[in-house]
Amino acid sequence: MTKKKNEILVIHGPNLHLLGKREPHIYGGFSLTAINNELKKKAAKNKTGIEIIQSNSESEIIDAITSGNYDFLIINPAAYTHTSVAIRDAISAAAKPAIEVHISNIYKREEFRKKSLISDVVIGVISGLGIQSYLLAFDAAMELLKTTKT
Ligand code: DQA
């Protein structure tokens, strides 16, 4: 088997397993499987390893982030974006490059969603572009890994 260039870890936070059924006027009609299939296709094209997890549990998300078994993190912390100092600390502690993504534009919604505890411990944030938020994050990760790898 040919060695993969990099390993991307994608984490989908709580309630994202409901995509497609959950408030489609906000989150769109696509399913989590549809996002994951697109990401896997991109990873295969780029000969890059990808691990994708969805969890409703803060502790499972922290364990995955701090495992350190990846080169780049793409994370949609979902509701934990606005509440979890623990996930923020895990990203900081892992010291891996990371992008925060959101399907909806969190700055266009309720006041409590406008505050992210995660944004200043990641390289950047992509919010409001639906499935494209993840796909653009993947492309950015590929470019950023080129410049961070020796
Ligand atoms: C979300 C936005 C969050 O405010 C919300 O709690 C989610 C999904 C998004 O992808 O738009 O669950 O992260």
mmCIF file of all heavy atoms in Angstrom, residues 24-58:
data_model
loop_
_atom_site.group_PDB
_atom_site.id
_atom_site.type_symbol
_atom_site.label_atom_id
_atom_site.label_comp_id
_atom_site.label_asym_id
_atom_site.label_seq_id
_atom_site.Cartn_x
_atom_site.Cartn_y
_atom_site.Cartn_z
ATOM 1 N N PRO A 24 -33.702 22.070 7.895
ATOM 2 C CA PRO A 24 -33.081 22.203 6.570
ATOM 3 C C PRO A 24 -33.038 23.635 6.037
ATOM 4 O O PRO A 24 -32.186 23.951 5.213
ATOM 5 C CB PRO A 24 -33.927 21.293 5.668
ATOM 6 C CG PRO A 24 -35.122 20.926 6.458
ATOM 7 C CD PRO A 24 -34.828 21.139 7.905
ATOM 8 N N HIS A 25 -33.934 24.508 6.546
ATOM 9 C CA HIS A 25 -33.892 25.914 6.109
ATOM 10 C C HIS A 25 -32.614 26.594 6.618
ATOM 11 O O HIS A 25 -32.194 27.611 6.080
ATOM 12 C CB HIS A 25 -35.142 26.669 6.571
ATOM 13 C CG HIS A 25 -35.364 26.619 8.054
ATOM 14 N ND1 HIS A 25 -35.689 25.466 8.736
ATOM 15 C CD2 HIS A 25 -35.253 27.586 8.996
ATOM 16 C CE1 HIS A 25 -35.806 25.738 10.036
ATOM 17 N NE2 HIS A 25 -35.541 27.006 10.205
ATOM 18 N N ILE A 26 -32.007 26.025 7.653
ATOM 19 C CA ILE A 26 -30.756 26.590 8.186
ATOM 20 C C ILE A 26 -29.547 25.780 7.702
ATOM 21 O O ILE A 26 -28.537 26.334 7.270
ATOM 22 C CB ILE A 26 -30.769 26.607 9.742
ATOM 23 C CG1 ILE A 26 -31.886 27.513 10.260
ATOM 24 C CG2 ILE A 26 -29.390 27.062 10.289
ATOM 25 C CD1 ILE A 26 -32.069 27.476 11.765
ATOM 26 N N TYR A 27 -29.678 24.443 7.782
ATOM 27 C CA TYR A 27 -28.503 23.592 7.544
ATOM 28 C C TYR A 27 -28.505 22.903 6.181
ATOM 29 O O TYR A 27 -27.563 22.174 5.873
ATOM 30 C CB TYR A 27 -28.377 22.557 8.667
ATOM 31 C CG TYR A 27 -28.153 23.199 10.021
ATOM 32 C CD1 TYR A 27 -29.132 23.161 11.012
ATOM 33 C CD2 TYR A 27 -26.968 23.884 10.291
ATOM 34 C CE1 TYR A 27 -28.936 23.781 12.248
ATOM 35 C CE2 TYR A 27 -26.763 24.512 11.511
ATOM 36 C CZ TYR A 27 -27.745 24.444 12.486
ATOM 37 O OH TYR A 27 -27.545 25.068 13.691
ATOM 38 N N GLY A 28 -29.556 23.123 5.389
ATOM 39 C CA GLY A 28 -29.587 22.524 4.055
ATOM 40 C C GLY A 28 -30.155 21.111 4.062
ATOM 41 O O GLY A 28 -30.409 20.533 5.127
ATOM 42 N N GLY A 29 -30.319 20.571 2.879
ATOM 43 C CA GLY A 29 -30.982 19.272 2.740
ATOM 44 C C GLY A 29 -29.999 18.112 2.622
ATOM 45 O O GLY A 29 -30.404 16.954 2.506
ATOM 46 N N PHE A 30 -28.700 18.379 2.660
ATOM 47 C CA PHE A 30 -27.712 17.306 2.501
ATOM 48 C C PHE A 30 -27.475 16.581 3.821
ATOM 49 O O PHE A 30 -27.639 17.145 4.896
ATOM 50 C CB PHE A 30 -26.400 17.860 1.922
ATOM 51 C CG PHE A 30 -25.877 19.054 2.677
ATOM 52 C CD1 PHE A 30 -25.094 18.889 3.805
ATOM 53 C CD2 PHE A 30 -26.178 20.345 2.270
ATOM 54 C CE1 PHE A 30 -24.614 19.976 4.515
ATOM 55 C CE2 PHE A 30 -25.710 21.453 2.971
ATOM 56 C CZ PHE A 30 -24.930 21.264 4.091
ATOM 57 N N SER A 31 -27.058 15.333 3.688
ATOM 58 C CA SER A 31 -26.812 14.504 4.886
ATOM 59 C C SER A 31 -25.337 14.562 5.260
ATOM 60 O O SER A 31 -24.487 14.987 4.469
ATOM 61 C CB SER A 31 -27.199 13.054 4.583
ATOM 62 O OG SER A 31 -26.316 12.543 3.590
ATOM 63 N N LEU A 32 -25.042 14.070 6.456
ATOM 64 C CA LEU A 32 -23.645 13.987 6.899
ATOM 65 C C LEU A 32 -22.870 13.031 5.990
ATOM 66 O O LEU A 32 -21.712 13.290 5.640
ATOM 67 C CB LEU A 32 -23.596 13.488 8.345
ATOM 68 C CG LEU A 32 -22.238 13.579 9.023
ATOM 69 C CD1 LEU A 32 -21.796 15.023 9.172
ATOM 70 C CD2 LEU A 32 -22.254 12.902 10.381
ATOM 71 N N THR A 33 -23.527 11.958 5.568
ATOM 72 C CA THR A 33 -22.880 10.999 4.665
ATOM 73 C C THR A 33 -22.479 11.680 3.357
ATOM 74 O O THR A 33 -21.406 11.396 2.814
ATOM 75 C CB THR A 33 -23.844 9.819 4.370
ATOM 76 O OG1 THR A 33 -24.300 9.333 5.629
ATOM 77 C CG2 THR A 33 -23.179 8.708 3.612
ATOM 78 N N ALA A 34 -23.319 12.583 2.870
ATOM 79 C CA ALA A 34 -22.994 13.289 1.616
ATOM 80 C C ALA A 34 -21.725 14.123 1.798
ATOM 81 O O ALA A 34 -20.833 14.101 0.940
ATOM 82 C CB ALA A 34 -24.165 14.169 1.191
ATOM 83 N N ILE A 35 -21.614 14.830 2.916
ATOM 84 C CA ILE A 35 -20.394 15.627 3.181
ATOM 85 C C ILE A 35 -19.189 14.686 3.241
ATOM 86 O O ILE A 35 -18.152 14.925 2.620
ATOM 87 C CB ILE A 35 -20.475 16.373 4.537
ATOM 88 C CG1 ILE A 35 -21.640 17.352 4.564
ATOM 89 C CG2 ILE A 35 -19.155 17.090 4.832
ATOM 90 C CD1 ILE A 35 -21.806 18.068 5.895
ATOM 91 N N ASN A 36 -19.352 13.607 4.015
ATOM 92 C CA ASN A 36 -18.221 12.694 4.220
ATOM 93 C C ASN A 36 -17.770 12.055 2.906
ATOM 94 O O ASN A 36 -16.571 11.896 2.677
ATOM 95 C CB ASN A 36 -18.587 11.618 5.254
ATOM 96 C CG ASN A 36 -18.777 12.232 6.641
ATOM 97 O OD1 ASN A 36 -18.371 13.369 6.869
ATOM 98 N ND2 ASN A 36 -19.367 11.476 7.554
ATOM 99 N N ASN A 37 -18.719 11.713 2.054
ATOM 100 C CA ASN A 37 -18.352 11.109 0.758
ATOM 101 C C ASN A 37 -17.550 12.082 -0.096
ATOM 102 O O ASN A 37 -16.576 11.690 -0.738
ATOM 103 C CB ASN A 37 -19.593 10.643 -0.002
ATOM 104 C CG ASN A 37 -20.178 9.388 0.625
ATOM 105 O OD1 ASN A 37 -19.505 8.704 1.409
ATOM 106 N ND2 ASN A 37 -21.426 9.081 0.304
ATOM 107 N N GLU A 38 -17.967 13.350 -0.091
ATOM 108 C CA GLU A 38 -17.227 14.366 -0.863
ATOM 109 C C GLU A 38 -15.815 14.538 -0.307
ATOM 110 O O GLU A 38 -14.850 14.659 -1.055
ATOM 111 C CB GLU A 38 -17.965 15.720 -0.835
ATOM 112 C CG GLU A 38 -19.276 15.732 -1.600
ATOM 113 C CD GLU A 38 -19.109 15.378 -3.080
ATOM 114 O OE1 GLU A 38 -18.191 15.906 -3.703
ATOM 115 O OE2 GLU A 38 -19.895 14.562 -3.584
ATOM 116 N N LEU A 39 -15.706 14.552 1.024
ATOM 117 C CA LEU A 39 -14.382 14.708 1.651
ATOM 118 C C LEU A 39 -13.490 13.507 1.336
ATOM 119 O O LEU A 39 -12.302 13.661 1.047
ATOM 120 C CB LEU A 39 -14.524 14.869 3.172
ATOM 121 C CG LEU A 39 -15.066 16.220 3.652
ATOM 122 C CD1 LEU A 39 -15.398 16.159 5.145
ATOM 123 C CD2 LEU A 39 -14.054 17.343 3.398
ATOM 124 N N LYS A 40 -14.079 12.312 1.370
ATOM 125 C CA LYS A 40 -13.288 11.097 1.089
ATOM 126 C C LYS A 40 -12.798 11.095 -0.357
ATOM 127 O O LYS A 40 -11.683 10.675 -0.636
ATOM 128 C CB LYS A 40 -14.123 9.840 1.370
ATOM 129 C CG LYS A 40 -14.263 9.543 2.852
ATOM 130 C CD LYS A 40 -15.118 8.306 3.065
ATOM 131 C CE LYS A 40 -15.649 8.245 4.483
ATOM 132 N NZ LYS A 40 -16.771 7.313 4.620
ATOM 133 N N LYS A 41 -13.657 11.579 -1.278
ATOM 134 C CA LYS A 41 -13.257 11.658 -2.692
ATOM 135 C C LYS A 41 -12.060 12.585 -2.841
ATOM 136 O O LYS A 41 -11.098 12.280 -3.537
ATOM 137 C CB LYS A 41 -14.417 12.232 -3.536
ATOM 138 C CG LYS A 41 -15.305 11.175 -4.155
ATOM 139 C CD LYS A 41 -16.188 11.835 -5.224
ATOM 140 C CE LYS A 41 -17.642 11.669 -4.853
ATOM 141 N NZ LYS A 41 -18.542 12.574 -5.562
ATOM 142 N N LYS A 42 -12.140 13.737 -2.182
ATOM 143 C CA LYS A 42 -11.039 14.706 -2.248
ATOM 144 C C LYS A 42 -9.769 14.108 -1.655
ATOM 145 O O LYS A 42 -8.682 14.305 -2.187
ATOM 146 C CB LYS A 42 -11.398 15.971 -1.458
ATOM 147 C CG LYS A 42 -12.128 17.003 -2.259
ATOM 148 C CD LYS A 42 -12.298 18.259 -1.409
ATOM 149 C CE LYS A 42 -12.920 19.369 -2.212
ATOM 150 N NZ LYS A 42 -11.970 19.972 -3.172
ATOM 151 N N ALA A 43 -9.905 13.401 -0.556
ATOM 152 C CA ALA A 43 -8.732 12.805 0.100
ATOM 153 C C ALA A 43 -8.087 11.779 -0.827
ATOM 154 O O ALA A 43 -6.862 11.752 -0.983
ATOM 155 C CB ALA A 43 -9.146 12.171 1.421
ATOM 156 N N ALA A 44 -8.902 10.966 -1.486
ATOM 157 C CA ALA A 44 -8.368 9.946 -2.395
ATOM 158 C C ALA A 44 -7.622 10.613 -3.552
ATOM 159 O O ALA A 44 -6.515 10.198 -3.904
ATOM 160 C CB ALA A 44 -9.502 9.068 -2.908
ATOM 161 N N LYS A 45 -8.214 11.676 -4.101
ATOM 162 C CA LYS A 45 -7.575 12.414 -5.205
ATOM 163 C C LYS A 45 -6.226 12.975 -4.790
ATOM 164 O O LYS A 45 -5.289 13.023 -5.569
ATOM 165 C CB LYS A 45 -8.472 13.608 -5.597
ATOM 166 C CG LYS A 45 -9.069 13.486 -6.959
ATOM 167 C CD LYS A 45 -9.678 14.822 -7.367
ATOM 168 C CE LYS A 45 -10.807 14.566 -8.331
ATOM 169 N NZ LYS A 45 -11.705 15.713 -8.431
ATOM 170 N N ASN A 46 -6.146 13.405 -3.533
ATOM 171 C CA ASN A 46 -4.920 14.031 -3.029
ATOM 172 C C ASN A 46 -3.981 13.023 -2.354
ATOM 173 O O ASN A 46 -3.010 13.437 -1.726
ATOM 174 C CB ASN A 46 -5.276 15.133 -2.020
ATOM 175 C CG ASN A 46 -5.788 16.373 -2.698
ATOM 176 O OD1 ASN A 46 -5.014 17.195 -3.166
ATOM 177 N ND2 ASN A 46 -7.105 16.502 -2.814
ATOM 178 N N LYS A 47 -4.316 11.733 -2.438
ATOM 179 C CA LYS A 47 -3.534 10.669 -1.781
ATOM 180 C C LYS A 47 -3.267 11.012 -0.311
ATOM 181 O O LYS A 47 -2.158 10.860 0.199
ATOM 182 C CB LYS A 47 -2.208 10.465 -2.517
ATOM 183 C CG LYS A 47 -2.386 9.988 -3.954
ATOM 184 C CD LYS A 47 -1.059 9.548 -4.525
ATOM 185 C CE LYS A 47 -1.135 8.923 -5.891
ATOM 186 N NZ LYS A 47 -2.052 9.534 -6.853
ATOM 187 N N THR A 48 -4.311 11.479 0.315
ATOM 188 C CA THR A 48 -4.222 11.922 1.709
ATOM 189 C C THR A 48 -5.130 11.059 2.574
ATOM 190 O O THR A 48 -6.250 10.754 2.164
ATOM 191 C CB THR A 48 -4.656 13.410 1.789
ATOM 192 O OG1 THR A 48 -3.701 14.178 1.080
ATOM 193 C CG2 THR A 48 -4.751 13.916 3.198
ATOM 194 N N GLY A 49 -4.629 10.704 3.742
ATOM 195 C CA GLY A 49 -5.441 9.918 4.671
ATOM 196 C C GLY A 49 -6.496 10.796 5.307
ATOM 197 O O GLY A 49 -6.281 11.995 5.514
ATOM 198 N N ILE A 50 -7.643 10.211 5.594
ATOM 199 C CA ILE A 50 -8.703 10.998 6.242
ATOM 200 C C ILE A 50 -9.420 10.126 7.262
ATOM 201 O O ILE A 50 -9.724 8.964 6.997
ATOM 202 C CB ILE A 50 -9.685 11.603 5.192
ATOM 203 C CG1 ILE A 50 -10.618 12.620 5.861
ATOM 204 C CG2 ILE A 50 -10.470 10.539 4.446
ATOM 205 C CD1 ILE A 50 -11.268 13.587 4.887
ATOM 206 N N GLU A 51 -9.634 10.696 8.446
ATOM 207 C CA GLU A 51 -10.460 10.021 9.434
ATOM 208 C C GLU A 51 -11.577 10.979 9.779
ATOM 209 O O GLU A 51 -11.329 12.172 10.002
ATOM 210 C CB GLU A 51 -9.629 9.684 10.681
ATOM 211 C CG GLU A 51 -10.386 8.745 11.595
ATOM 212 C CD GLU A 51 -9.789 8.582 12.976
ATOM 213 O OE1 GLU A 51 -8.605 8.915 13.170
ATOM 214 O OE2 GLU A 51 -10.544 8.131 13.855
ATOM 215 N N ILE A 52 -12.793 10.471 9.755
ATOM 216 C CA ILE A 52 -13.945 11.346 9.999
ATOM 217 C C ILE A 52 -14.735 10.786 11.167
ATOM 218 O O ILE A 52 -15.098 9.601 11.158
ATOM 219 C CB ILE A 52 -14.855 11.428 8.750
ATOM 220 C CG1 ILE A 52 -14.043 11.846 7.515
ATOM 221 C CG2 ILE A 52 -16.008 12.391 8.998
ATOM 222 C CD1 ILE A 52 -14.844 11.912 6.212
ATOM 223 N N ILE A 53 -14.991 11.624 12.156
ATOM 224 C CA ILE A 53 -15.851 11.164 13.247
ATOM 225 C C ILE A 53 -16.963 12.179 13.521
ATOM 226 O O ILE A 53 -16.778 13.373 13.301
ATOM 227 C CB ILE A 53 -15.070 10.868 14.552
ATOM 228 C CG1 ILE A 53 -14.409 12.127 15.106
ATOM 229 C CG2 ILE A 53 -14.023 9.789 14.359
ATOM 230 C CD1 ILE A 53 -13.859 11.914 16.507
ATOM 231 N N GLN A 54 -18.079 11.643 13.963
ATOM 232 C CA GLN A 54 -19.158 12.507 14.470
ATOM 233 C C GLN A 54 -19.400 12.069 15.899
ATOM 234 O O GLN A 54 -19.505 10.879 16.178
ATOM 235 C CB GLN A 54 -20.442 12.327 13.641
ATOM 236 C CG GLN A 54 -21.553 13.335 13.973
ATOM 237 C CD GLN A 54 -22.362 12.965 15.218
ATOM 238 O OE1 GLN A 54 -22.622 11.787 15.475
ATOM 239 N NE2 GLN A 54 -22.741 13.948 16.005
ATOM 240 N N SER A 55 -19.460 13.032 16.810
ATOM 241 C CA SER A 55 -19.739 12.657 18.192
ATOM 242 C C SER A 55 -20.594 13.715 18.861
ATOM 243 O O SER A 55 -20.409 14.918 18.640
ATOM 244 C CB SER A 55 -18.436 12.471 18.965
ATOM 245 O OG SER A 55 -18.740 12.149 20.306
ATOM 246 N N ASN A 56 -21.491 13.213 19.711
ATOM 247 C CA ASN A 56 -22.314 14.118 20.515
ATOM 248 C C ASN A 56 -21.687 14.323 21.886
ATOM 249 O O ASN A 56 -22.257 15.002 22.735
ATOM 250 C CB ASN A 56 -23.727 13.535 20.663
ATOM 251 C CG ASN A 56 -24.408 13.407 19.318
ATOM 252 O OD1 ASN A 56 -24.254 14.277 18.465
ATOM 253 N ND2 ASN A 56 -25.137 12.320 19.113
ATOM 254 N N SER A 57 -20.531 13.697 22.085
ATOM 255 C CA SER A 57 -19.928 13.690 23.415
ATOM 256 C C SER A 57 -18.676 14.563 23.459
ATOM 257 O O SER A 57 -17.732 14.369 22.682
ATOM 258 C CB SER A 57 -19.592 12.241 23.788
ATOM 259 O OG SER A 57 -18.420 12.182 24.551
ATOM 260 N N GLU A 58 -18.666 15.508 24.366
ATOM 261 C CA GLU A 58 -17.530 16.423 24.510
ATOM 262 C C GLU A 58 -16.253 15.633 24.810
ATOM 263 O O GLU A 58 -15.192 15.914 24.242
ATOM 264 C CB GLU A 58 -17.843 17.397 25.642
ATOM 265 C CG GLU A 58 -16.922 18.590 25.715
ATOM 266 C CD GLU A 58 -17.378 19.588 26.771
ATOM 267 O OE1 GLU A 58 -18.076 19.181 27.734
ATOM 268 O OE2 GLU A 58 -17.034 20.776 26.636
#
